[in-house]
Amino acid sequence: MENLIGQGRLAIDMIVDPDSFREGVVGTLQLTDEEFGPGAVVGTASLDGAICTIIANDAMTINQKFPVVYAGIIGLEEGYKMALAVYHSIEADRDRAPGEKRALVLIVDTPGNGAGKLEEMAGMNKATGAYQMALAEARKAGHPIVAIVVGRAISGGFLCHGLQADHVLSLSAAFNTMIHVMPLTSIARITRLDIEWLQELAKSNPVFAAGPDFFYRLGGVEELVDSIPAMRDRVIAHIAEVRALKAAGREDQLGPWGRGTLGEVRGGRTVRGRVMQTMNEEFAKVADRYLK
Amino acid sequence: MSSDWETLQNRSFLESNARARAIGLADPGTFTELAGPRCRLSSPHLPLLGEAVEFDDGIVTGVGRHGSRPLFIASQEGRFVGGSVGEVHGAKLVNIVRMAHQAYDRMLAETPELPEERRPAVVISFETGGVRLHEANAGLLAHAELMDQFQDCKGKVPVIGIIGGRVGCFGGMGFVAAATDAIIMSPFGRLGLTGPEVIEEEMGKDEFDASDRALVYRVTGGKHKYIMGDCNLLVEDTIAAFRQGLGKVLAMSYAEIDRLRRIGSLDKVKAQLRTLAALVEIAPRDSRDVWTFAGNPAAETLVDMKLDDFLRTVKRLENAS
């Protein structure tokens, strides 16, 4: 097998304990309508013996109600369905101690959010926003969230499903994983910059080039995984690592903020920190005037 | 100073630049810009692509006052690369939100009985197409950081989004705006995820004719978003009107502001799913079908109706706050 593009369901089976995945069930959530957001697969599984919530993409479906939603695209129903799975995970573990909250594993293979007129009329921005807000809430409530890119993680789709995790892993480029906002050809057309020149620049500049290696350098991906069978162990290891950091009160090393710091350490995003520091220093001089 | 501020108030929000909006939204003479143009924190990435820079990277960030509150302000400039989010622009935006909840923590530590009306607030004037393609990856990661910072504000600091600029608020910033506590728009404001041009390009003119400006406004404009409940307040196109709208929200208790949010809890997601199911049922070809469904039989007349009359007569969808 060369890659897992379009194989979200297979990836679930490869990561969780054998035959442990129960689709449509998370805490008191019981989804029975197979036509509801079919591009999003949610459910409960056991991972290394511990209960966890699985949220994945199914690229082999078409949403009959929304013609622009197919091939793993996250549409209105898919976004809200994913959010439901997160809220029900939080609800199910509400009375558990922070260290005992179930992990959420996000298996990522999406080309983006639903792009259509009905989507915009109904407010696609709310569906994808709702899922991200739910993930951020779960993360801060103590749930370890680990995302692994097994196929495509494109632009708003990746923001929606992936980048709110505590840690983000990706199969390496050898497995044809795609992480980008737009392919270079589209960037060239829209910015009216020469494609060959862009390709040359992209070799050394991670800030606009496509691919998991560049996201790694920017701190957008914590770890590249270099074999499909290794995915399971790496996800288990990262859940443990995330749990340990949360227990130690080191949330600042996790999630989007942690990846901001990582981007600086890896030399991919060096001005971000300087900008923030400048603002903080300038504010410190006038803070008394405003906070009295 | 103050007379300059006075003249700003009656100006069109749409026509004003980002700095005028930021100054005008704060109480007179209270705005202090942070990491302003004098710091020359421009994009290090644009010059590599032979593109011009701005010393503020297309966003004005700073602090002002709103009555008894410190007001943390970010205002995007649509005239610079479409208000797009690059590394510097994103860092300024993320940090202004972070500063607000950190200020709250500090104030609370000094004054444990801190009254609600003294809490800091965040206001963001969105005018953006989302990620800046020239530094796309860094811009993308900044979006995720912003959603994270919003979550840190929850229960502490109100975050209010304003949309009234020419570019509207699209791309990833469309869902960032959706994640604020309250949204104030003018009828000229536009909000969405995938811009009409992109939909037309990806799905064809039959799906969305982006050259049909009236259609674009019916689908993404302030009036439709108000009927949907996706914007909480619809105001006239002046800086003063937006400022009054801001005042209206900030006069509420935190619990009331919390109820203005469209998403952000299980109950709100369930409510959105009910609305969505109803929309699927009526299968709208145009926003006018949605307006009729919401209880506006003469939907067509809403388009050109003056704002006062519109607000007096319009029926909103049931879940709309």
Side-chain angles (χ1 to χ4, degrees), chain A residues 87 117 120-121 125-126 132 139-140 159 164 189 206-207 209 218 257 269-272 276 280 282-283 288-290 292, chain B residues 30 32 35 39 65 87 95 106 118 137 140 144-145 148 152 174-175 192-194 201 207 224-225 230 264-265 272 285:
Chain A
Y87 282 125
K117 192 165 69 183
E120 290 307 312
M121 267 189 253
N125 59 328
K126 288 179 297 183
Q132 293 175 66
R139 178 158 46 76
K140 287 165 201 283
L159 278 170
Q164 280 305 315
R189 186 170 42 75
V207 83
L218 288 167
W257 184 260
R269 277 188 287 166
T270 51
V271 285
R272 172 189 169 279
M276 292 183 177
N280 294 341
E282 287 187 355
F283 181 60
D288 282 345
R289 227 159 75 201
Y290 290 99
K292 278 255 154 64
Chain B
T30 64
T32 301
C39 299
R65 290 202 70 91
E87 183 176 352
N95 202 48
R106 176 176 155 185
R118 281 191 54 208
N137 302 343
L140 194 75
E145 286 188 54
D148 182 49
D152 283 336
F175 59 68
L193 182 61
T194 315
E201 195 183 299
E207 178 66 29
H224 175 61
K225 295 295 159 186
D230 293 1
S265 72
Q272 291 293 345
R285 296 284 304 147

Short mmCIF file of all heavy atoms in Angstrom, two decimals, chain A residues 87 117 120-121 125-126 132 139-140 159 164 189 206-207 209 218 257 269-272 276 280 282-283 288-290 292, chain B residues 30 32 35 39 65 87 95 106 118 137 140 144-145 148 152 174-175 192-194 201 207 224-225 230 264-265 272 285:
data_model
loop_
_atom_site.label_atom_id
_atom_site.label_comp_id
_atom_site.label_asym_id
_atom_site.label_seq_id
_atom_site.Cartn_x
_atom_site.Cartn_y
_atom_site.Cartn_z
N TYR A 87 -18.81 17.76 21.71
CA TYR A 87 -19.60 18.17 22.88
C TYR A 87 -20.06 16.97 23.70
O TYR A 87 -20.08 17.02 24.93
CB TYR A 87 -20.80 19.03 22.45
CG TYR A 87 -20.41 20.45 22.11
CD1 TYR A 87 -20.72 21.01 20.88
CD2 TYR A 87 -19.72 21.25 23.03
CE1 TYR A 87 -20.36 22.31 20.57
CE2 TYR A 87 -19.35 22.54 22.73
CZ TYR A 87 -19.67 23.07 21.49
OH TYR A 87 -19.30 24.36 21.19
N LYS A 117 -23.59 27.85 -2.96
CA LYS A 117 -24.49 28.96 -2.65
C LYS A 117 -25.33 28.66 -1.42
O LYS A 117 -25.49 29.51 -0.53
CB LYS A 117 -25.38 29.26 -3.86
CG LYS A 117 -26.14 30.58 -3.72
CD LYS A 117 -26.73 31.03 -5.04
CE LYS A 117 -27.86 30.11 -5.47
NZ LYS A 117 -28.40 30.49 -6.80
N GLU A 120 -23.32 29.07 1.68
CA GLU A 120 -23.12 30.46 2.10
C GLU A 120 -24.40 31.08 2.63
O GLU A 120 -24.38 31.87 3.57
CB GLU A 120 -22.54 31.29 0.94
CG GLU A 120 -21.10 30.92 0.61
CD GLU A 120 -20.18 30.96 1.83
OE1 GLU A 120 -20.20 31.95 2.58
OE2 GLU A 120 -19.43 29.98 2.04
N MET A 121 -25.54 30.71 2.04
CA MET A 121 -26.82 31.22 2.55
C MET A 121 -27.03 30.76 3.99
O MET A 121 -27.45 31.52 4.85
CB MET A 121 -27.97 30.68 1.69
CG MET A 121 -28.38 31.57 0.58
SD MET A 121 -29.90 30.92 -0.14
CE MET A 121 -29.31 30.27 -1.66
N ASN A 125 -19.61 29.16 7.46
CA ASN A 125 -18.61 29.63 8.43
C ASN A 125 -18.98 29.22 9.86
O ASN A 125 -18.12 28.97 10.69
CB ASN A 125 -18.42 31.15 8.33
CG ASN A 125 -19.68 31.94 8.58
OD1 ASN A 125 -20.79 31.50 8.27
ND2 ASN A 125 -19.55 33.11 9.15
N LYS A 126 -20.30 29.12 10.13
CA LYS A 126 -20.72 28.72 11.49
C LYS A 126 -20.45 27.24 11.74
O LYS A 126 -20.06 26.86 12.84
CB LYS A 126 -22.22 28.98 11.68
CG LYS A 126 -22.61 30.43 11.79
CD LYS A 126 -24.12 30.58 11.94
CE LYS A 126 -24.85 30.05 10.73
NZ LYS A 126 -26.30 30.22 10.78
N GLN A 132 -14.59 23.88 15.53
CA GLN A 132 -13.32 24.36 16.11
C GLN A 132 -13.51 24.87 17.54
O GLN A 132 -12.66 24.65 18.41
CB GLN A 132 -12.74 25.48 15.24
CG GLN A 132 -12.29 24.98 13.88
CD GLN A 132 -11.84 26.12 12.99
OE1 GLN A 132 -10.85 26.78 13.27
NE2 GLN A 132 -12.55 26.37 11.93
N ARG A 139 -10.21 20.72 24.53
CA ARG A 139 -8.77 20.75 24.80
C ARG A 139 -8.50 21.43 26.14
O ARG A 139 -7.73 20.94 26.96
CB ARG A 139 -8.06 21.49 23.66
CG ARG A 139 -6.57 21.65 23.81
CD ARG A 139 -5.89 21.88 22.45
NE ARG A 139 -6.55 22.85 21.59
CZ ARG A 139 -6.48 24.17 21.76
NH1 ARG A 139 -5.80 24.68 22.75
NH2 ARG A 139 -7.11 24.98 20.92
N LYS A 140 -9.18 22.56 26.37
CA LYS A 140 -8.94 23.31 27.61
C LYS A 140 -9.63 22.67 28.81
O LYS A 140 -9.31 22.99 29.96
CB LYS A 140 -9.36 24.77 27.42
CG LYS A 140 -8.34 25.50 26.53
CD LYS A 140 -8.84 26.83 26.01
CE LYS A 140 -8.08 27.29 24.78
NZ LYS A 140 -6.76 27.86 25.03
N LEU A 159 -7.81 23.73 9.02
CA LEU A 159 -8.11 24.57 10.18
C LEU A 159 -9.26 23.98 10.98
O LEU A 159 -9.23 23.90 12.20
CB LEU A 159 -8.48 25.99 9.74
CG LEU A 159 -7.34 26.94 9.43
CD1 LEU A 159 -7.86 28.21 8.79
CD2 LEU A 159 -6.54 27.27 10.69
N GLN A 164 -6.87 22.56 15.57
CA GLN A 164 -7.22 22.86 16.96
C GLN A 164 -6.76 21.75 17.91
O GLN A 164 -7.02 21.80 19.11
CB GLN A 164 -8.73 23.09 17.11
CG GLN A 164 -9.20 24.47 16.70
CD GLN A 164 -8.47 25.60 17.42
OE1 GLN A 164 -8.25 25.57 18.62
NE2 GLN A 164 -8.08 26.61 16.67
N ARG A 189 -1.32 32.01 -10.19
CA ARG A 189 -2.37 32.65 -10.99
C ARG A 189 -2.95 33.85 -10.24
O ARG A 189 -3.11 34.92 -10.81
CB ARG A 189 -3.45 31.62 -11.31
CG ARG A 189 -4.52 32.12 -12.26
CD ARG A 189 -5.43 30.98 -12.71
NE ARG A 189 -5.79 30.08 -11.62
CZ ARG A 189 -6.67 30.37 -10.66
NH1 ARG A 189 -7.26 31.54 -10.63
NH2 ARG A 189 -6.94 29.49 -9.71
N PRO A 206 9.53 27.99 3.52
CA PRO A 206 8.41 27.16 3.96
C PRO A 206 7.11 27.94 4.08
O PRO A 206 6.06 27.34 4.27
CB PRO A 206 8.86 26.68 5.34
CG PRO A 206 9.76 27.76 5.85
CD PRO A 206 10.45 28.31 4.63
N VAL A 207 7.17 29.26 3.95
CA VAL A 207 6.02 30.06 4.36
C VAL A 207 4.85 30.00 3.37
O VAL A 207 3.71 30.21 3.72
CB VAL A 207 6.45 31.50 4.68
CG1 VAL A 207 6.53 32.35 3.43
CG2 VAL A 207 5.53 32.12 5.71
N ALA A 209 5.08 27.44 0.54
CA ALA A 209 5.17 26.21 -0.25
C ALA A 209 4.25 25.12 0.30
O ALA A 209 3.84 25.15 1.46
CB ALA A 209 6.61 25.73 -0.25
N LEU A 218 7.49 25.08 10.01
CA LEU A 218 6.75 26.23 10.56
C LEU A 218 6.16 25.93 11.93
O LEU A 218 5.52 26.78 12.54
CB LEU A 218 5.61 26.62 9.61
CG LEU A 218 6.02 27.29 8.31
CD1 LEU A 218 4.85 27.33 7.35
CD2 LEU A 218 6.53 28.70 8.57
N TRP A 257 -1.17 27.64 20.17
CA TRP A 257 -0.16 28.50 20.80
C TRP A 257 1.18 27.77 20.90
O TRP A 257 2.24 28.34 20.60
CB TRP A 257 -0.63 28.96 22.18
CG TRP A 257 0.34 29.91 22.80
CD1 TRP A 257 1.28 29.62 23.75
CD2 TRP A 257 0.48 31.30 22.49
NE1 TRP A 257 2.01 30.75 24.04
CE2 TRP A 257 1.54 31.79 23.29
CE3 TRP A 257 -0.17 32.17 21.61
CZ2 TRP A 257 1.95 33.12 23.24
CZ3 TRP A 257 0.25 33.49 21.56
CH2 TRP A 257 1.29 33.96 22.37
N ARG A 269 8.99 30.49 11.68
CA ARG A 269 8.18 31.70 11.92
C ARG A 269 8.91 32.53 12.97
O ARG A 269 8.71 32.35 14.16
CB ARG A 269 6.78 31.32 12.43
CG ARG A 269 5.81 30.96 11.33
CD ARG A 269 4.41 30.78 11.88
NE ARG A 269 4.28 29.54 12.64
CZ ARG A 269 3.26 29.27 13.44
NH1 ARG A 269 2.30 30.17 13.62
NH2 ARG A 269 3.18 28.13 14.09
N THR A 270 9.73 33.44 12.52
CA THR A 270 10.61 34.13 13.47
C THR A 270 10.13 35.54 13.83
O THR A 270 10.54 36.07 14.85
CB THR A 270 12.04 34.23 12.90
OG1 THR A 270 11.95 34.77 11.58
CG2 THR A 270 12.70 32.87 12.84
N VAL A 271 9.26 36.14 13.02
CA VAL A 271 8.83 37.50 13.37
C VAL A 271 7.61 37.52 14.30
O VAL A 271 7.37 38.49 15.01
CB VAL A 271 8.52 38.39 12.13
CG1 VAL A 271 9.78 38.82 11.45
CG2 VAL A 271 7.59 37.68 11.18
N ARG A 272 6.84 36.43 14.28
CA ARG A 272 5.63 36.35 15.11
C ARG A 272 5.91 36.78 16.56
O ARG A 272 5.23 37.63 17.11
CB ARG A 272 5.10 34.92 15.04
CG ARG A 272 3.96 34.61 16.00
CD ARG A 272 3.66 33.10 15.99
NE ARG A 272 2.76 32.72 17.05
CZ ARG A 272 3.13 32.51 18.31
NH1 ARG A 272 4.41 32.68 18.67
NH2 ARG A 272 2.25 32.17 19.23
N MET A 276 4.72 40.26 18.81
CA MET A 276 3.96 40.18 20.06
C MET A 276 4.71 40.85 21.21
O MET A 276 4.12 41.55 22.03
CB MET A 276 3.68 38.71 20.39
CG MET A 276 2.72 38.06 19.41
SD MET A 276 2.33 36.36 19.88
CE MET A 276 1.14 35.91 18.59
N ASN A 280 3.54 43.95 23.61
CA ASN A 280 3.50 43.81 25.07
C ASN A 280 4.33 44.89 25.76
O ASN A 280 3.91 45.46 26.77
CB ASN A 280 4.00 42.42 25.49
CG ASN A 280 3.06 41.32 25.02
OD1 ASN A 280 1.90 41.58 24.70
ND2 ASN A 280 3.55 40.10 24.96
N GLU A 282 5.14 47.86 24.54
CA GLU A 282 4.51 49.18 24.38
C GLU A 282 3.30 49.32 25.32
O GLU A 282 3.07 50.38 25.88
CB GLU A 282 4.06 49.37 22.92
CG GLU A 282 5.23 49.62 21.98
CD GLU A 282 4.78 49.98 20.57
OE1 GLU A 282 3.56 49.96 20.28
OE2 GLU A 282 5.67 50.28 19.76
N PHE A 283 2.57 48.24 25.46
CA PHE A 283 1.39 48.30 26.33
C PHE A 283 1.79 48.48 27.79
O PHE A 283 1.14 49.22 28.55
CB PHE A 283 0.51 47.06 26.16
CG PHE A 283 -0.73 47.09 27.02
CD1 PHE A 283 -1.66 48.11 26.87
CD2 PHE A 283 -0.96 46.12 27.98
CE1 PHE A 283 -2.80 48.16 27.67
CE2 PHE A 283 -2.09 46.16 28.78
CZ PHE A 283 -3.01 47.18 28.63
N ASP A 288 -1.24 51.24 32.93
CA ASP A 288 -1.89 51.82 34.12
C ASP A 288 -3.01 52.77 33.74
O ASP A 288 -4.02 52.88 34.44
CB ASP A 288 -0.86 52.56 34.98
CG ASP A 288 -0.03 51.58 35.79
OD1 ASP A 288 -0.46 50.40 35.88
OD2 ASP A 288 1.04 51.97 36.29
N ARG A 289 -2.80 53.47 32.61
CA ARG A 289 -3.79 54.42 32.15
C ARG A 289 -5.10 53.72 31.78
O ARG A 289 -6.17 54.31 31.86
CB ARG A 289 -3.24 55.12 30.91
CG ARG A 289 -3.39 56.62 30.94
CD ARG A 289 -2.41 57.25 29.99
NE ARG A 289 -2.81 57.12 28.60
CZ ARG A 289 -1.94 57.22 27.58
NH1 ARG A 289 -0.66 57.40 27.82
NH2 ARG A 289 -2.36 57.11 26.35
N TYR A 290 -4.99 52.48 31.33
CA TYR A 290 -6.17 51.79 30.80
C TYR A 290 -6.79 50.79 31.79
O TYR A 290 -7.98 50.53 31.72
CB TYR A 290 -5.80 51.07 29.50
CG TYR A 290 -5.53 52.03 28.38
CD1 TYR A 290 -4.24 52.38 28.02
CD2 TYR A 290 -6.60 52.62 27.69
CE1 TYR A 290 -3.99 53.28 27.00
CE2 TYR A 290 -6.36 53.53 26.67
CZ TYR A 290 -5.06 53.85 26.33
OH TYR A 290 -4.83 54.76 25.32
N LYS A 292 -6.80 50.90 35.13
CA LYS A 292 -7.20 51.44 36.45
C LYS A 292 -8.68 51.23 36.69
O LYS A 292 -9.48 51.46 35.81
CB LYS A 292 -6.87 52.93 36.51
CG LYS A 292 -5.42 53.16 36.86
CD LYS A 292 -5.27 53.63 38.32
CE LYS A 292 -3.90 53.27 38.88
NZ LYS A 292 -2.78 53.88 38.24
N THR B 30 -8.73 58.42 23.25
CA THR B 30 -8.20 57.37 24.14
C THR B 30 -7.40 56.31 23.41
O THR B 30 -6.81 55.43 24.04
CB THR B 30 -9.34 56.65 24.91
OG1 THR B 30 -10.18 55.96 23.97
CG2 THR B 30 -10.15 57.64 25.72
N THR B 32 -4.54 54.30 21.76
CA THR B 32 -3.08 54.20 21.63
C THR B 32 -2.76 53.02 20.73
O THR B 32 -3.13 51.89 21.05
CB THR B 32 -2.42 53.97 23.01
OG1 THR B 32 -2.76 55.05 23.88
CG2 THR B 32 -0.90 53.89 22.88
N ALA B 35 2.40 48.53 18.30
CA ALA B 35 3.12 48.02 17.13
C ALA B 35 2.63 48.72 15.86
O ALA B 35 2.31 48.08 14.85
CB ALA B 35 2.99 46.50 17.01
N CYS B 39 7.00 51.27 14.23
CA CYS B 39 7.81 50.09 14.56
C CYS B 39 8.31 49.37 13.31
O CYS B 39 9.20 48.52 13.37
CB CYS B 39 7.01 49.10 15.41
SG CYS B 39 6.47 49.78 16.97
N ARG B 65 -10.42 53.21 25.32
CA ARG B 65 -11.40 52.99 26.38
C ARG B 65 -12.79 52.99 25.78
O ARG B 65 -13.07 53.62 24.77
CB ARG B 65 -11.31 54.07 27.45
CG ARG B 65 -10.04 53.98 28.29
CD ARG B 65 -10.21 54.68 29.63
NE ARG B 65 -11.12 53.97 30.51
CZ ARG B 65 -10.74 53.04 31.39
NH1 ARG B 65 -9.47 52.70 31.48
NH2 ARG B 65 -11.63 52.43 32.15
N GLU B 87 2.03 36.55 8.43
CA GLU B 87 2.63 36.25 9.73
C GLU B 87 2.53 37.42 10.71
O GLU B 87 2.09 37.27 11.85
CB GLU B 87 4.10 35.83 9.57
CG GLU B 87 4.74 35.43 10.90
CD GLU B 87 6.17 34.92 10.77
OE1 GLU B 87 6.64 34.72 9.64
OE2 GLU B 87 6.80 34.72 11.82
N ASN B 95 -2.34 38.55 19.23
CA ASN B 95 -1.84 39.10 20.49
C ASN B 95 -2.78 40.14 21.11
O ASN B 95 -2.83 40.26 22.33
CB ASN B 95 -0.44 39.70 20.30
CG ASN B 95 0.32 39.77 21.61
OD1 ASN B 95 0.36 38.77 22.36
ND2 ASN B 95 0.90 40.91 21.92
N ARG B 106 -5.19 40.18 35.20
CA ARG B 106 -4.44 41.12 36.04
C ARG B 106 -5.39 42.00 36.86
O ARG B 106 -5.19 42.21 38.05
CB ARG B 106 -3.55 41.98 35.12
CG ARG B 106 -2.79 43.05 35.87
CD ARG B 106 -1.87 43.80 34.94
NE ARG B 106 -1.62 45.14 35.47
CZ ARG B 106 -0.93 46.06 34.82
NH1 ARG B 106 -0.42 45.81 33.63
NH2 ARG B 106 -0.74 47.26 35.36
N ARG B 118 -16.44 46.90 34.15
CA ARG B 118 -15.04 47.35 34.04
C ARG B 118 -14.16 46.33 33.31
O ARG B 118 -12.97 46.57 33.08
CB ARG B 118 -14.47 47.64 35.43
CG ARG B 118 -14.91 48.99 36.00
CD ARG B 118 -14.13 49.34 37.25
NE ARG B 118 -12.69 49.28 37.04
CZ ARG B 118 -11.80 49.02 38.00
NH1 ARG B 118 -12.21 48.77 39.23
NH2 ARG B 118 -10.52 49.00 37.75
N ASN B 137 1.01 29.65 4.58
CA ASN B 137 1.09 28.69 5.69
C ASN B 137 1.11 29.40 7.04
O ASN B 137 0.44 28.97 7.99
CB ASN B 137 2.32 27.79 5.52
CG ASN B 137 2.30 27.05 4.19
OD1 ASN B 137 1.26 26.96 3.55
ND2 ASN B 137 3.44 26.55 3.77
N LEU B 140 -2.35 30.76 7.76
CA LEU B 140 -3.28 29.70 8.16
C LEU B 140 -3.12 29.39 9.65
O LEU B 140 -4.10 29.30 10.39
CB LEU B 140 -3.00 28.43 7.32
CG LEU B 140 -4.07 27.34 7.37
CD1 LEU B 140 -5.27 27.74 6.54
CD2 LEU B 140 -3.52 26.01 6.86
N ALA B 144 -5.76 29.53 13.42
CA ALA B 144 -5.98 28.55 14.49
C ALA B 144 -5.66 29.16 15.85
O ALA B 144 -6.37 28.91 16.84
CB ALA B 144 -5.11 27.31 14.25
N GLU B 145 -4.62 29.99 15.89
CA GLU B 145 -4.25 30.65 17.15
C GLU B 145 -5.35 31.59 17.63
O GLU B 145 -5.62 31.72 18.82
CB GLU B 145 -2.95 31.44 16.98
CG GLU B 145 -1.71 30.56 16.90
CD GLU B 145 -0.43 31.39 16.94
OE1 GLU B 145 -0.25 32.20 17.88
OE2 GLU B 145 0.38 31.24 16.02
N ASP B 148 -8.13 29.78 19.24
CA ASP B 148 -7.64 29.36 20.56
C ASP B 148 -7.74 30.50 21.56
O ASP B 148 -8.18 30.32 22.70
CB ASP B 148 -6.18 28.89 20.37
CG ASP B 148 -5.55 28.38 21.65
OD1 ASP B 148 -6.18 27.57 22.34
OD2 ASP B 148 -4.42 28.81 21.96
N ASP B 152 -9.97 31.27 25.20
CA ASP B 152 -9.42 31.77 26.47
C ASP B 152 -10.20 32.98 26.98
O ASP B 152 -10.17 33.29 28.16
CB ASP B 152 -7.94 32.14 26.31
CG ASP B 152 -7.04 30.92 26.30
OD1 ASP B 152 -7.45 29.88 26.86
OD2 ASP B 152 -5.94 30.99 25.73
N GLY B 174 -13.89 34.19 8.04
CA GLY B 174 -15.34 34.04 8.12
C GLY B 174 -15.75 33.22 9.33
O GLY B 174 -16.70 33.56 10.03
N PHE B 175 -15.00 32.16 9.61
CA PHE B 175 -15.37 31.39 10.81
C PHE B 175 -14.77 31.98 12.08
O PHE B 175 -15.31 31.78 13.17
CB PHE B 175 -15.11 29.88 10.67
CG PHE B 175 -13.70 29.45 10.39
CD1 PHE B 175 -12.72 29.60 11.33
CD2 PHE B 175 -13.39 28.86 9.17
CE1 PHE B 175 -11.43 29.18 11.07
CE2 PHE B 175 -12.09 28.44 8.90
CZ PHE B 175 -11.11 28.60 9.86
N GLY B 192 -18.90 35.55 4.96
CA GLY B 192 -19.03 34.20 4.40
C GLY B 192 -17.76 33.41 4.60
O GLY B 192 -16.79 33.90 5.20
N LEU B 193 -17.75 32.19 4.11
CA LEU B 193 -16.55 31.36 4.19
C LEU B 193 -15.87 31.36 2.82
O LEU B 193 -14.78 31.88 2.64
CB LEU B 193 -16.90 29.94 4.63
CG LEU B 193 -15.70 29.00 4.80
CD1 LEU B 193 -14.74 29.51 5.86
CD2 LEU B 193 -16.15 27.60 5.17
N THR B 194 -16.56 30.81 1.82
CA THR B 194 -16.00 30.79 0.48
C THR B 194 -16.60 31.96 -0.29
O THR B 194 -17.81 32.05 -0.44
CB THR B 194 -16.36 29.48 -0.24
OG1 THR B 194 -16.13 28.39 0.66
CG2 THR B 194 -15.51 29.29 -1.47
N GLU B 201 -15.62 29.92 -9.52
CA GLU B 201 -14.46 29.30 -10.17
C GLU B 201 -14.43 27.79 -9.97
O GLU B 201 -14.13 27.03 -10.88
CB GLU B 201 -13.20 29.93 -9.58
CG GLU B 201 -11.96 29.68 -10.39
CD GLU B 201 -10.76 30.28 -9.67
OE1 GLU B 201 -10.76 31.50 -9.48
OE2 GLU B 201 -9.88 29.50 -9.28
N GLU B 207 -23.74 27.52 -10.26
CA GLU B 207 -23.80 27.44 -8.80
C GLU B 207 -23.88 28.85 -8.20
O GLU B 207 -24.68 29.14 -7.34
CB GLU B 207 -22.59 26.69 -8.25
CG GLU B 207 -22.51 26.58 -6.73
CD GLU B 207 -23.62 25.76 -6.11
OE1 GLU B 207 -24.12 24.84 -6.78
OE2 GLU B 207 -24.00 26.04 -4.94
N HIS B 224 -29.22 39.87 4.93
CA HIS B 224 -29.45 38.42 4.99
C HIS B 224 -28.90 37.83 6.28
O HIS B 224 -29.54 37.01 6.94
CB HIS B 224 -28.83 37.72 3.77
CG HIS B 224 -28.93 36.22 3.84
ND1 HIS B 224 -30.14 35.57 3.88
CD2 HIS B 224 -27.99 35.25 3.92
CE1 HIS B 224 -29.94 34.25 3.96
NE2 HIS B 224 -28.63 34.04 3.99
N LYS B 225 -27.71 38.26 6.64
CA LYS B 225 -27.09 37.71 7.86
C LYS B 225 -27.91 38.09 9.09
O LYS B 225 -27.97 37.34 10.07
CB LYS B 225 -25.64 38.20 7.99
CG LYS B 225 -24.72 37.70 6.88
CD LYS B 225 -24.54 36.19 6.91
CE LYS B 225 -24.07 35.62 5.60
NZ LYS B 225 -24.04 34.15 5.57
N ASP B 230 -27.19 35.51 11.94
CA ASP B 230 -25.73 35.39 11.91
C ASP B 230 -25.05 36.71 12.25
O ASP B 230 -23.85 36.74 12.54
CB ASP B 230 -25.26 34.92 10.53
CG ASP B 230 -25.71 33.48 10.27
OD1 ASP B 230 -26.37 32.91 11.16
OD2 ASP B 230 -25.41 32.95 9.20
N GLY B 264 -21.06 27.68 19.70
CA GLY B 264 -20.18 27.66 20.86
C GLY B 264 -20.72 26.85 22.02
O GLY B 264 -20.17 26.91 23.11
N SER B 265 -21.81 26.10 21.80
CA SER B 265 -22.30 25.19 22.84
C SER B 265 -23.13 24.11 22.16
O SER B 265 -23.54 24.26 21.00
CB SER B 265 -23.17 25.93 23.86
OG SER B 265 -24.41 26.28 23.28
N GLN B 272 -28.74 25.26 15.42
CA GLN B 272 -28.28 25.46 14.04
C GLN B 272 -28.70 24.29 13.17
O GLN B 272 -29.09 24.47 12.01
CB GLN B 272 -26.75 25.62 13.99
CG GLN B 272 -26.22 26.91 14.60
CD GLN B 272 -26.61 28.16 13.81
OE1 GLN B 272 -27.05 28.08 12.66
NE2 GLN B 272 -26.47 29.32 14.43
N ARG B 285 -33.47 28.59 -3.62
CA ARG B 285 -32.62 28.87 -4.78
C ARG B 285 -31.93 30.22 -4.58
O ARG B 285 -30.93 30.52 -5.21
CB ARG B 285 -33.47 28.93 -6.05
CG ARG B 285 -34.12 27.62 -6.40
CD ARG B 285 -33.13 26.63 -7.00
NE ARG B 285 -32.45 27.16 -8.19
CZ ARG B 285 -31.21 26.86 -8.52
NH1 ARG B 285 -30.49 26.07 -7.75
NH2 ARG B 285 -30.65 27.37 -9.60
#
